Amino acid sequence: MITQDAVVAANRFGFGEPPDEMREITQDPRGWVKQQIVAEQTLPAPLAALPSTIDDQLAFFRWLRDYRKEVQSPTDAAMSGSVEQSYVKALYPRYQTAVKARFDTAVATPTPVFERLVHFWSNHFTVSGAKPIAIALPPSFERDAIRPYVTGKFADMLLAAAKHPAMLIYLDNTQSIGPHSQWAKNPPKRRQQFAGIQAPRGLNENLAREILELHTVGVHGSYDQADVTRFANIITGWQVLTPRQFGRFAARWAGIGNDLFYFNAAAHEPGDHSVMGKTYKADGVQQGEAVLHDLAQHPATASFLATKLARHFIADEPTDAVVSHLATVFRNTDGDLGAVTRALIDIPEAWSQPRAKLKQPEEYLISAVRTLGGPPLHDRQLLASLNAMGQRPYMPSGPDGWSDQQDYWLSPDGVWQRIEWAQLAGRVLAATINQPDVYAEALFGTTLSAHTRSAIGHAESPAQGLALLLTSPEFMRR
Amino acid sequence: MNMAKINRRTLLTTVGVAAAASPLPRLVFASPVIERRLVVIVQRGGMDGLAALPAYGDPHFEAARAGIAAPPPGSTGGALALDTLFALHPSLTEFATLYREQSLLPIHATCVAYHGRSHFDAQNVLDNGAAVPYLLKSGWLNRALSALPNSRDDLGIAIAQTMPVIMRGDAVITSWYPSILPPPDTDTIARIAAMYTRDPKLDAALARARSAHEMAADVDAGAQFVNLMAAAGVFLAKPQGPRVALIESTGWDTHANQAATYGALTRNLRELNGGVASLREALGSAWAATVVLIMTEFGRTVAMNGTAGTDHGTGGAAFLLGGAVAGGRVLADWPGLRPNDLYEGRDLRPTTDLRAVVKGVLAEHLGIPDAHIERLVFPDSADVKPSRDLIHSGSATTST
């Protein structure tokens, strides 16, 4: 019989498992989870097939070139749609393919726990394609700046994320110019106005603020507006290579987006600056890197990340004891995320309540296809399904990412959309699964309630029984 | 005294002669009485109040907003003048019409109680109604529904896929969003409902969804802002339907290129304008009994930033509009735009706590007793006195 621990291992820390795998996990649920908390050796095939960050950047500049040809004089009359709409339309296919690749990877991976960590940290360092200019950027960001570090040091992930072209573009840092820099006094001629877009002339504090508030110490991390402004000054000049600079090397490069980082001394604010009480000497790019290193080690960062991890994997409102334990491990291991994750697995509360959290829509669909073997979803069906449930991957509304609270997702409409989807899916799956109640028991073992089992067992058809299985509390929660 | 005011209005409303006392020109003696309606539009991202409601009459406005202000009133494509001080963004033509009809009451230099410039904290405060982020778990709009005289389940509806904080809490509310999937058959739904009897949260959510979908049978299913506003109008126009609707509007965080003709800010304001028109049309006669509150988490910096946009600021603009609003004027204790006038040297100084406006609407429009507002809806806000005379006392009737 499938045990509660096996159900928790598969669902809370993974995406659920099909019956054969559930029997395997029952032998050693904690071992099954922990063995997956190791660095990845080979990139999954769907992700390896995606275009590189360099290619995403080139696609942007190709679009810009074509757009300029089409719109000789950017007057209102010539612009039937907005610049943004044209761009989104040109780049949307890349986005759609990437969402499907992320989904397929999660459905097929032999290491779903690792994949869950990728999703978690990718959401922590949100780059959202909901901002039109960033529509094609999140997938390669996730692959380059998140994936290699989810079981490594947090400081390494923070630096990779903060210096990745996608983050620099998404949070406007490529446009931020030091007020006393060379470029502020004497802007280069080629940076002229196009289509109402003026060349940047000064500071933009967006990235600096979000690094403090969302990525490291959190909003209670005892910094003030002056810290934000000074940190923003420190990271002026953190830009992305232009195609002129990188184009001729593009074929040679392996496609790691961080290679495109470019420190532009001419746009960098000169001088020493202090952040949260510590002075950082003028030192080019290393001035900002030093701030990031200190932020990664700040005790407030340890607590903030511990809270988020516990909220994601254990319960909406984790106990203080759980949070402080994880924060301690974080501090004692110099922010080793593998060690922190293993500590999370060892916490008894993580295993005690089988259905503490509601699955988010993307998790819900991944778990359906992973555990039931279908229905097959081509890329447009997948996006339509996710869109209906209120979660377009890579497109949360802001840089704080998706909510990790049940009350956000468990709305009347949210439940209704899952029911609509489950009914369609049940009809397709009935071709391969004809005893839904037996199947439910193979997925949920001792945790399947008699009430749910009876509801599924008394369905008028296998298709309806599968719709009931997919909408059951056991399946909706993890 | 306030109590007496509410009682008098309640009485007038009940006997259906309130329109006689109303200055609204389009109102006539009317029946049947429809209970008052409230639509709350939350603009996520920080709407630039000085762009939506520019203060051309301030001698420092044009210098302070150099590079991003719309052309002044009177010029081609210029802002739409309201009075000697304020104007509307050129896209807000429907708003200008409402102002002339005395159904628009813009509020300027307003802000939530939190001034920290974080989107997420400010949105949390905007939603939960406290002075401190995350102090309260529920939302003020949900608590207001509990505090309504004759409160019942399903008085509120969120036109949203997920439940925003402002609508979370003890009052049972529903949510609805246009669906692209075929509806489930009734037998399957009934069986799922039976399966949920031991999971109270899923059970309640499904019950709400079922009734919302029954009501929405005749709603146009598009998901653009203009469609969502029309859907809200359809729900609220039903005499036995919900009385309060919530709609979210996103994309107001305009750090770059906001002044461009096809930039995000201009597009959002155009959508807002169209949405108000479609809401009014869908509400039909219920428009006369309706107040629409449009609010955002903060205003933006007064000066243009280095990227032709604006950064997170403090004071900004909000709007009340609808047939029940005593409009045709701007509510603002204007702080001025000289460098020394600005909050922390960069933002419009907030002079009106947004809660004062909301309290006034809840009391005058929905008839929630002041004591309930102070104790249940906005606890620990006694120093924030409700704004008064925002609402026509006789507007809870239908025009014909």
Side-chain angles (χ1 to χ4, degrees), chain B residues 10 17 87 90 169 186 278 376:
Chain B
T10 309
V17 297
T186 49
S278 69
L376 303 172

Side-chain angles (χ1 to χ4, degrees), chain B residues 7-24 27-34 36 392-398:
Chain B
N7 287 338
R8 184 177 64 88
R9 184 170 55 248
T10 309
L11 180 69
L12 287 173
T13 304
T14 310
V15 297
V17 297
S22 166
L24 248 196
L27 279 183
V28 295
F29 290 101
S31 65
V33 172
I34 187 161
R36 292 165 183 241
H392 286 306
S393 58
S395 57
T397 52
T398 53

